[in-house]
Amino acid sequence: MRFFVLFLGAAALVAGCANPGTPALNYTVPLQPEGASAYVEKPGWATQRFAVAAANPLATDAGYQILKAGGSATDAAIAVQMVLALVEPQSSGIGGGAFLLHYNGRVVDAFDGRETAPAGATENLFLDAEGKLLAFFPAAVVGGRAVGTPGTVRMLEMAHRQHGKLPWATLFEPTIALAQGGFRVSARLNALLKTETELQKDPVAAAYFYQADGAPLPVGHVLRNPALAEVLKRIASQGGQALMEGEVAQAMVDKVQQHPSNPGTLALTDLARYQPLRREALCHDYRARARDFRVCGFPPPSSGAIAVGQILGMLNATQAAALPLENGVPGADWLHLYTEASRLAFADRAQYVADPAFVSAPAGRWDSLLAPTYLAERAALIGQGPDARRRETAPPGTPGGEQSAYAPMADQREYGTSHISIVDGDGNALAMTTTIEAAFGARQMVNVWPGLAGGFLLNNELTDFSFAPTDARGTPIANRVQAGKRPRSSMAPTLVFDKTSGALLMSGGSPGGALIIHFTAKTLYGVLNWGLAPQQAINLPNFASLNGPTLLEEKRFPASTVEALKARGHAVRELELTSGLQAITRSEASGKVQWLGGADPRREGVVMGD
């Protein structure tokens, strides 16, 4: 059975192209939903054999159809990503990067498709002529300056060679069909276009996303992208080379280098030389409700797994485990402990985490930041009890007793991304977080063939580097810009296993810039510690601290909770905190296994499966 919120039926058939002996994909274009951009309750889903969770119903459906045709979890993820590039262009696409955590029933692999700084980039990239930091927006973001070498397609190609079942070309059929036939503009895309101020300045993007009078395309408008379809046809037949070399690559370089006011340095050699990486997943033990888990995430250059693991580990060394939800939401005592642990984790993040090809891990191992003895030391800094107050400062620690040679990075804004979780019927699973950074990236749309409408957006991922290369004393910052370097990320694709049996229990993650860490930690804690179903955990109100104010999702917490936090010295800020969580968990009752799926009510995502 198909599990699909707002799914209305099926329309035109598009024949699949598979090798002899391989099941053909007969992709069916669904009648297309108009997902809401506000908070819309989701029911949660239950499936028996496999499940796909993604940020847009059309993307989820493409993954579902790939699995039905005999594809693997990796096959489905490729199809999902390509559809997201079309229908959710503000968040991810072929002009960006991604982290994919994959489980093949035995081993967890981490596939790194993070963007890299071009060879021409220097550590002064985000300084003006007087040596002052550029304003984040629009000076740094918009144009060619912040565009990194995209890695998503090359990374997916690597993952497909190892874990794919269907032919590579087959996986592009859903997006090509939708790009040619059109998809309906969703309420979320329309809402983001309304508030956008820079995208309209790019002639290609303006012609594609906006009407002649400058108004964004209305909800329900059938939008076609034949220019993207042509690029995808070439990638389908020639592989990632079609994107990273030749006329498509030249079009990307021209777009970046010829920007009229803010050019960048991306070159053809950067694209041709880009290499995805296969890394060792970063895993740690976690105990909750008298059960032992193994939590696996993505290692640096992502800070997500380290920060999530630190927060969970520090909470376990406090009174947090004894604190239940209060009237269905976290109470002030628990939120105090959580945000204090978060501030300590973010202090370490600012001090240590960067591309491991350029920066050594403290004490020679990234898991030194997750060592139980170290986290217990850090947790001892958290004030506990009813009268405990917020610490004035949260300093970085010294994991393994080793002092850092770097200066801490100042807080900077992070945006964007989308998340995909998939479990297939053969025991394979993945969690993939994918991004072009800010909404609509660098606001630059690449079109190789001017006679065709549309194209694809480029990332602004280099703004994830520290704008300042050093501190005031001249000490270098670990996450400064350097040629060929991967910028630090907060993406936190996560897989959870039963430590005793080794069984996969959960796949999850979220978009949200630096807040990804908190959205993911909330969902993990809700499932593992409070025993919630994934939809219930996702529905919990969001909360965070980036080593500054305590952030609460507005209108989701009682006034008494807010006042209690303020009484402890917390500077509370209530704001939207729009996550985009997707999660799938394993449930077993009476010897019967099923998969429970959840999708964030704050966005358009759904779960489908059989």
Side-chain angles (χ1 to χ4, degrees), residues 243-298:
L243 179 72
M244 306 298 271
E245 300 178 30
E247 59 184 332
V248 180
Q250 186 65 60
M252 284 194 278
V253 168
D254 290 345
K255 194 76 178 184
V256 169
Q257 294 189 3
Q258 296 174 15
H259 190 274
S261 62
N262 198 20
T265 64
L266 183 71
L268 287 173
T269 50
D270 296 313
L271 294 164
R273 294 172 181 171
Y274 180 87
Q275 291 295 323
L277 299 174
R278 183 177 176 182
R279 299 187 186 275
E280 183 178 349
L282 187 61
C283 302
H284 63 94
D285 293 340
Y286 183 67
R287 186 170 177 81
R289 294 186 298 144
R291 186 175 182 183
D292 291 316
F293 301 97
R294 188 76 172 159
V295 179
C296 292
F298 216 93

Side-chain angles (χ1 to χ4, degrees), residues 484-509:
K485 191 176 187 177
R486 285 162 155 83
R488 187 190 70 191
S489 170
S490 296
M491 293 189 287
T494 305
L495 297 173
V496 180
F497 301 86
D498 181 279
K499 187 181 178 183
T500 302
S501 68
L504 174 74
L505 300 180
M506 182 175 180
S507 169

Side-chain angles (χ1 to χ4, degrees), residues 343-365:
R343 295 172 68 236
L344 291 165
F346 270 73
D348 278 358
R349 174 181 178 269
Q351 181 72 58
Y352 294 108
V353 182
D355 185 342
F358 291 78
V359 173
S360 296
R365 298 167 38 242

Side-chain angles (χ1 to χ4, degrees), residues 545-600:
S545 175
L546 308 179
N547 202 4
T550 294
L551 309 178
L552 300 180
E553 188 172 4
E554 62 183 3
K555 300 178 182 178
R556 297 294 308 279
F557 289 93
S560 58
T561 297
V562 175
E563 292 306 313
L565 287 169
K566 289 180 178 178
R568 291 173 177 263
H570 291 263
V572 178
R573 303 285 185 271
E574 295 185 78
L575 58 164
E576 287 187 336
L577 297 184
T578 306
S579 52
L581 286 150
Q582 318 289 340
I584 299 169
T585 65
R586 185 178 190 268
S587 173
E588 186 170 354
S590 302
K592 183 179 180 182
V593 175
Q594 64 177 351
W595 297 103
L596 303 180
D600 208 312

